[in-house]
Amino acid sequence: MPRPHKKRKVNHPPKMLGFKPFGIRFCDTEHVDMQYEEYEAVKLVIYDNLSQDAAAEKMEVSRPTLTRIYNSALKKIAQGFVEGKSIVIKGGNFEFEKDWYKCKTCFKLIDGVTNPTRCGDCPTNDKDELVNLNE
């Protein structure tokens, strides 16, 4: 019996839910599902310019595991780019380093809130404005 996969650490959730090709309506395209840990691997290696060893350490995985996650993400990005598919970021085997919430009204990302039901920046009186992204 294989041992269970340990959760990959993701520091910060993405600001968006995904990307879509310019000039094609979202409902007219197929989409590619990218997992949160794949997003984090690309962010650390390309955007933050970390070595794969340093990125693997931040995500608390081995370097070969990071390489597999990273290569999977690049393949999905290329598939979306070449085939004109939308990329949707969701799911995976991950955990955030701290509690993150997203406002349903203004889509702002919030961490470390004292009242996990209200945004604070939105004028609405909705008591369930915030969605817990850690679940």
Side-chain angles (χ1 to χ4, degrees), residues 103-123:
C103 177
K104 289 191 273 186
T105 306
C106 68
F107 305 108
K108 178 181 171 185
L109 288 170
I110 305 166
D111 69 325
V113 295
T114 54
N115 180 6
T117 57
R118 294 197 176 190
C119 173
D121 290 345
C122 294

Side-chain angles (χ1 to χ4, degrees), residues 14-33:
K15 294 181 180 185
M16 68 295 179
L17 300 174
F19 281 96
K20 72 173 202 69
F22 180 73
I24 301 173
R25 293 185 319 174
F26 181 77
C27 60
D28 291 341
T29 66
E30 292 182 33
H31 65 272
V32 177
D33 290 335

Side-chain angles (χ1 to χ4, degrees), residues 12 20 23 34 39 44 64 112 121 135:
H12 194 283
K20 72 173 202 69
M34 176 179 280
Y39 162 82
L44 292 173
D121 290 345
E135 298 174 348

Side-chain angles (χ1 to χ4, degrees), residues 12 28 44 52 56 62 65-66 69 72 83 90 96 114 117 128 130 132:
H12 194 283
D28 291 341
L44 292 173
Q52 288 193 9
S62 68
T65 297
L66 183 274
I69 295 168
S72 174
E83 297 176 15
K90 66 178 184 179
F96 292 116
T114 54
T117 57
D128 294 321
L130 300 183
N132 189 343

Side-chain angles (χ1 to χ4, degrees), residues 3-135:
R3 68 181 175 90
H5 292 277
K6 68 183 209 180
K7 294 188 182 276
R8 284 73 192 254
K9 299 288 184 201
V10 175
N11 181 36
H12 194 283
K15 294 181 180 185
M16 68 295 179
L17 300 174
F19 281 96
K20 72 173 202 69
F22 180 73
I24 301 173
R25 293 185 319 174
F26 181 77
C27 60
D28 291 341
T29 66
E30 292 182 33
H31 65 272
V32 177
D33 290 335
M34 176 179 280
Q35 298 178 335
Y36 277 97
E37 61 263 28
E38 292 170 329
Y39 162 82
E40 183 75 0
V42 169
K43 179 187 152 309
L44 292 173
V45 174
I46 296 176
Y47 184 77
D48 294 342
N49 201 28
L50 295 179
S51 68
Q52 288 193 9
D53 288 330
E57 194 173 300
K58 280 190 94 120
M59 289 182 66
E60 296 184 9
V61 296
S62 68
R63 203 232 8 103
T65 297
L66 183 274
T67 301
R68 282 191 297 275
I69 295 168
Y70 176 72
N71 287 339
S72 174
L74 290 181
K75 184 169 181 129
K76 290 176 181 181
I77 293 168
Q79 182 181 8
F81 187 73
V82 172
E83 297 176 15
K85 293 182 177 181
S86 298
I87 298 172
V88 177
I89 303 170
K90 66 178 184 179
N93 187 24
F94 73 98
E95 64 184 8
F96 292 116
E97 290 184 351
K98 49 187 162 181
D99 287 338
W100 283 97
Y101 298 88
K102 189 171 211 165
C103 177
K104 289 191 273 186
T105 306
C106 68
F107 305 108
K108 178 181 171 185
L109 288 170
I110 305 166
D111 69 325
V113 295
T114 54
N115 180 6
T117 57
R118 294 197 176 190
C119 173
D121 290 345
C122 294
T124 66
N125 292 325
D126 187 2
K127 293 187 181 192
D128 294 321
E129 280 180 321
L130 300 183
V131 176
N132 189 343
L133 298 178
N134 302 310
E135 298 174 348

